[in-house]
Amino acid sequence: MTSYAELKTAADAAPRDFSKATALLKFVRGHQLRKPAVVARYGAAILNDRRAASRLGDEVWSVYEQTLLAALDVDDGELRDACEAAILERFDSASTPSQRVERLKGLVAEAAGDWDAAMARYAGLLEGNAANAAALKREICVLKGRGAKPDKVAEALNGYLAKFQSDSGAWQALAEVHAGALRFPDAVFCYEELA
């Protein structure tokens, strides 16, 4: 099996060979690796070359989404705007908004510090599906980003954990909130849920 390091080395050695860059991006997506600088670099190279992008077929939309998320991480506004515009042009014209597109709009709003717009997007997603784990998690992130009090964040995490008890990341986050608020017995309880 080919590793990330091998694919990255091959892509670095032949930066104009888009098949190698595409294989690298596909590996990063498939293995859910967080490599935003690499994804932004190679995603932009592929998407800026119309011939390379057209060879991807429908996979081009996965590359657009992946590159948009990487652009948010590395704070590349120009790349973010280009990816968002392409995705919206292709998928936002439907009468029923795509949950995926709405989530991406929420992430873009978060990156811009527009907490109200982000919360509105996530609230809309939750109206359609109250058990949308991604939207619930993003709401918690918005609360943290806004600087909400620990009690408010803990309340949101408790609500999330009432629906998704096996999410170890949420238990970890709740433990950290409790420990930060000096509620050590509650933090210990959360850490015990991780074991």
Side-chain angles (χ1 to χ4, degrees):
M1 179 175 182
T2 307
S3 71
Y4 168 78
E6 292 168 333
L7 290 168
K8 172 96 170 45
T9 300
D12 287 343
R16 298 298 300 167
D17 184 344
F18 293 121
S19 65
K20 290 182 178 11
T22 302
L24 175 62
L25 293 179
K26 192 172 198 170
F27 184 90
V28 169
R29 265 193 326 274
H31 289 81
Q32 298 179 354
L33 302 178
R34 192 159 178 108
K35 304 286 184 186
V38 171
V39 170
R41 175 181 170 198
Y42 288 107
I46 292 169
L47 297 173
N48 287 331
D49 185 303
R50 290 196 186 276
R51 282 184 40 206
S54 68
R55 285 188 208 131
L56 293 175
D58 284 340
E59 186 182 353
V60 73
W61 301 111
S62 295
V63 173
Y64 268 115
E65 180 179 9
Q66 181 182 23
T67 306
L68 169 60
L69 295 172
L72 292 172
D73 281 350
V74 299
D75 198 25
D76 185 335
E78 186 177 327
L79 182 57
R80 176 203 63 222
D81 292 345
C83 292
E84 181 184 23
I87 291 169
L88 293 179
E89 183 179 324
R90 171 68 172 88
F91 294 104
D92 199 37
S93 60
S95 60
T96 305
S98 158
Q99 288 192 10
R100 201 169 189 159
V101 170
E102 289 300 303
R103 182 182 58 83
L104 290 173
K105 286 179 182 178
L107 290 169
V108 169
E110 279 185 64
D114 189 350
W115 308 119
D116 293 334
M119 285 298 267
R121 295 285 178 199
Y122 303 139
L125 288 171
L126 291 167
E127 277 180 25
N129 176 7
N132 185 326
L136 288 167
K137 282 183 172 183
R138 294 313 315 163
E139 281 191 335
I140 294 165
C141 291
V142 169
L143 287 173
K144 287 181 174 181
R146 279 183 164 165
K149 293 184 179 182
D151 289 344
K152 195 84 164 152
V153 175
E155 181 182 328
L157 280 164
N158 279 320
Y160 173 81
L161 284 166
K163 294 176 183 167
F164 304 98
Q165 296 94 3
S166 64
D167 188 328
S168 60
W171 282 110
Q172 176 77 33
L174 184 57
E176 290 170 7
V177 168
H178 285 313
L182 305 178
R183 293 190 298 262
F184 298 117
D186 293 333
V188 168
F189 174 81
C190 294
Y191 284 124
E192 286 174 349
E193 289 298 313
L194 292 171

